[in-house]
Amino acid sequence: MTSTVDGQLPGVALTKSELLEMYRLMVLIRRFEEVAAEQYALGKIAGFLHLYIGEEAVAVGAIRAMDPEDHLVTHYRDHGYALALGLDPRRCMAELFGKATGLVGGRGGSMHFADASKHFWGGYAIVAGLLPIAAGLGLASKYLNQRRVAVAIFGDGATNNGAFHEALNFASLWKLPVLFLCENNQYGMGTAVTHASAVREMYRKACAYDIPAEQVDGQDVLAVYEVTKRALEHCRNGNGPYFIEALTYRYRGHSMADPETYRSKEEVEEWRRQRDPIVLFRQKLLSHNVATEEELAALNQAVEEAVAEAVRFAEESPEPDPETLTQYVYADPITVH
Amino acid sequence: MARELTYRDALREALREEMYRDERVFLMGEDIGAYGGSYAVTRGFLQEFGPERVRDTPIAELGIVGLGIGAAIGGLRPVVELMTINFSLLAMDQIVNHLAKIYYMFNGQFTAPVVVRTVEGFGQLAATHSQFFENYFAYVPGLRVVAPAVPKDAKGFLKAAIRGNDPVIFIEHSLIYRNRGEVPDGEDFVLPLEGAEVRREGRDVTIVSWLRGYYLALGAAEELAREGIECEIIDLRVLRPLDIETIVRSVQKTNRLVIVEEGWKSYGVGAEIAAAVQERAIDYLDAPIMRVASVEVPMPYARNLERLVVPNKDKVVEAVREVLYQRTLVPVAR
Ligand SMILES: Cc1ncc(C[n+]2csc(CCOP(=O)(O)OP(=O)(O)O)c2C)c(N)n1
Ligand SMILES: [Mg+2]
C-alpha cells in the first residue's frame, strides 16, 4: 500500500499534523515514564508509580477521538491519559514529585491526576470505583441535554468487580452516553486474565447488559482512534453506552515494587519486539511517506527536551505550603469548632 | 525456647503450620499466589500448597469475604486476605451484615469461622491507600479484632484465629513487617485472642497504642526516660474485645493517659478507650486524657504534607509532656 496523497494515510481522516501529533504524544508518554522511573529510583518520586509503557496507543488513539467537551474518568495508571489530553508534562512531573505546581498541587501523586478544565475528572485508585461515576457523568449529560459522552478507561481486572456490573447495567438501562474503554493488558497486578475472569474476552461481558461492544488492537493507535470515534458517535446520538476492549500489554511491572514472578521475560520481550505501538506507528508513517526519518527524529528530540524540562521544573518547584494542609476538606465553611 | 523472627516470618510460620495441621485451612485473596502476596507474606505458598489451597482471586473483595463465609459454613477454615484495609470497604457488607451476624442471628446454631487478614499503613500512597479503619471493625459486635504489634503476637494470634470458631479481623501494618522479635518454639504455641499487655513499666504516664503506634510509644518512652520520665506502655493487641481492665489498672498507678492511634481522632478507638477509662477511673486522672492521632484530612501524597498528618515519636513525646503539665521538662531528682 502507498498513500494517494503525501502526508495522509489511506482511509484515515487525519491530517499530517494530527498524525504527527499523535506520534509525538506516544513518544512523550513513553519518555516521560521512562524518566519518571529513573526519578523514582533516585527517590524523587515515592509511593505507587504505575507505568503505562507499552499501552500508549490506547490513550492517544482514544483521547484524540474525543470532543473537548467530553468527560473523562480513568483508573490510576493515568499519566498517559493526562499527557494524551495535552496536559503540561511539567505539571504532570511536578505532581509525581509531590510539588505545589503539580496537577493537583502534590496532593494526589501518580494515581490521582486530574484537570477540571479539560473535564478530566480524575484518576481513581480503587479498582472499578470510577465506573459508576462514569455512568453518573453520562446521567448528568443526558439530564442536561448535552451531547457530551462520558469516557471511562479501566483495566481488565476491574471487570470482575461488582461496581463494573452495576455501572454497565445502569448505563444500558437508562441509555446513558457512556463509553466503557477497557484496557486488557492481560494482567491485573500479577494475576493473569485467565486466572481472574471466567470470560477471556472482556468485551463479551457487555452483552449481558445489551451494550454493543467490540475488540480492537490496542497497539494500533489508528485502529483505536477509529473505533473510539465510531463508538462516541453512537453514544452521542442517544443510543446509550458502548464498550470497547483494547488488547494491549504493559511492559513494566504493575508498580515499581513488582517482582514479576508471574510472567516470563520472553513474553515481555515478544510484545516489545513485535507489537510495540510506537514502532508500529512509526513504520506506518514512514512507509506511507507521511513523515521522513528526520521529521520524526526532530519530534523525538523535542520530546527529550520537554521531558528534561519537566524534570527541571518539578525539581525547582516548591513543596506544597503546609498552611494548605487542611484546605479543601470541605467546600463550604465550617463554623463550629 | 524461642527464636527471633520478623513479623512477616511469624505470620508465614503460623499460616504454614496451620495449613499442615488442618487440611480444611485454605487461603484466598488477590495476588497471594503467583505474585507472592503484595507484602510477600505468602511468597512460595502457591508452589508449596498448590492452587486449591492458595487461591488467587479476581479483584472482588465482597466476593472474597462472601465466599469465605459460605466456605466456612460449609465446613472449611478459610483465611481470606484483603490486600489492604482500604479495599475492605468493598467487603464491608459481607463482613458487617453477614459475617458478624450469623452466629447470633441464627440462634447459635452454626458459626462462620473466617479469618480476614488485612493490612494498613502509609508511605506516600495518597488519600485512598493510607487509611486506618480498625475502628470500623471494632465497632461491630460479633467480630474479634486483633492488631498484633510484635512477631510473637502475630504468630500466636493468627494460629488461634484459624483454630477458633469466631470471625476474626486480623489487622497487620505495612511498616512493621520487618520488625524482629522473639517467638516461642513449637507448633502449639497459640495465644488467646484477648488481653492487652504492659510491655514497659513506668510510674509517670500510661501510653496505650497498637501496631506501629506501639513502636512510636517505645521510642518516646526511651527519649523521655533520659529526662527521668517513666512511661508505662500498654500494647493493646486486641481491639475487640477491649481489655479495659489492664488500662484502668495502669492509669490508677500513673494517673495519666496518652493514647496513640494512627487513624483520625474523631470517633476513633482512642475515643472509646478514653470514655471507658473515665467511666471507671475518673477519680484517678490527674490530667485530661490525650490522644495522638492523624490530622483529619484525606491523606495527601506530598511527603512534607503526609509527615504533618501522621503521628510520630515527637508528637507522642509532646503529648506526654502535656499530660505532665510539662513540669518535668527539667529533669528533677525524685
Ligand atoms: C478494590 C481494589 N482492590 C485491590 C486493589 C489493588 N490493586 C491495584 S491495581 C490492581 C490490579 C488492577 O488490574 P487492572 O484493572 O487490569 O488494571 P492494570 O493495573 O492492569 O492497568 C489491584 C489488584 C485496588 N486498588 N482496589
Ligand atoms: Mg490489567
Side-chain angles (χ1 to χ4, degrees), chain A residues 43 45-48 95-96 98 106-109 111-112 125-126 160-161 189-191 196 258-259 261-262 319-320 322 325 329, chain B residues 31 34-35 38 56 58-61 83 87 90 123-126 128-129 295-305 308-309:
Chain A
I45 300 170
F48 289 133
E95 188 56 42
L96 298 183
R107 283 174 184 228
M111 303 194 290
H112 305 300
I126 301 299
N160 304 314
N161 191 280
M189 224 168 128
T191 303
D258 186 349
T261 49
Y262 51 86
E319 289 185 324
L325 178 65
V329 180
Chain B
D31 290 296
Y35 188 92
S38 345
D56 275 325
I59 306 166
E61 288 77 10
M83 187 181 280
F87 317 143
L90 284 81
Q124 289 199 264
L125 306 177
T128 64
H129 280 55
V295 177
E296 305 210 7
V297 295
M299 190 74 87
Y301 163 74
R303 186 174 324 207
N304 69 324
L305 296 186
L308 296 175
V309 173

Side-chain angles (χ1 to χ4, degrees), chain B residues 48 64 80 113 134 140 143 149 151 159 186 199 228 285 307 310 312:
Chain B
E48 188 168 352
I64 293 169
V80 305
E134 57 266 52
V140 183
L143 299 178
K159 287 170 68 88
R199 293 210 191 275
L285 287 168
R307 272 199 195 133
V310 290
N312 56 32

Side-chain angles (χ1 to χ4, degrees), chain A residues 55 75-77 154-158 182-189 191 193 248 250 254, chain B residues 59:
Chain A
E55 309 185 34
H75 66 169
Y76 47 84
R77 195 180 296 285
F154 54 96
D156 46 278
C182 178
E183 297 177 324
N184 181 353
N185 61 6
Q186 328 291 331
Y187 295 91
M189 224 168 128
T191 303
V193 163
T248 184
R250 97 175 126 64
H254 168 73
Chain B
I59 306 166

Side-chain angles (χ1 to χ4, degrees), chain B residues 12 15 31 114 206 212:
Chain B
R12 288 170 58 79
L15 289 172
D31 290 296
V114 180
T206 302
R212 174 174 167 273

Side-chain angles (χ1 to χ4, degrees), chain B residues 234-307:
Chain B
I234 297 180
D235 176 1
L236 194 59
R237 300 163 82 237
V238 180
L239 309 185
R240 188 177 192 102
L242 179 64
D243 175 12
I244 198 66
E245 280 311 314
T246 299
I247 301 171
V248 166
R249 253 196 319 276
S250 174
V251 169
Q252 285 170 340
K253 179 172 79 174
T254 64
N255 311 113
R256 291 160 210 277
L257 177 60
V258 170
I259 302 158
V260 183
E261 62 189 323
E262 289 190 300
W264 299 298
K265 184 187 285 182
S266 305
Y267 305 95
V269 175
E272 174 57 29
I273 294 172
V277 166
Q278 66 80 26
E279 279 167 1
R280 289 163 179 77
I282 195 156
D283 292 339
Y284 289 90
L285 287 168
D286 284 348
I289 298 167
M290 288 284 298
R291 286 173 284 163
V292 180
S294 276
V295 177
E296 305 210 7
V297 295
M299 190 74 87
Y301 163 74
R303 186 174 324 207
N304 69 324
L305 296 186
E306 187 187 62
R307 272 199 195 133

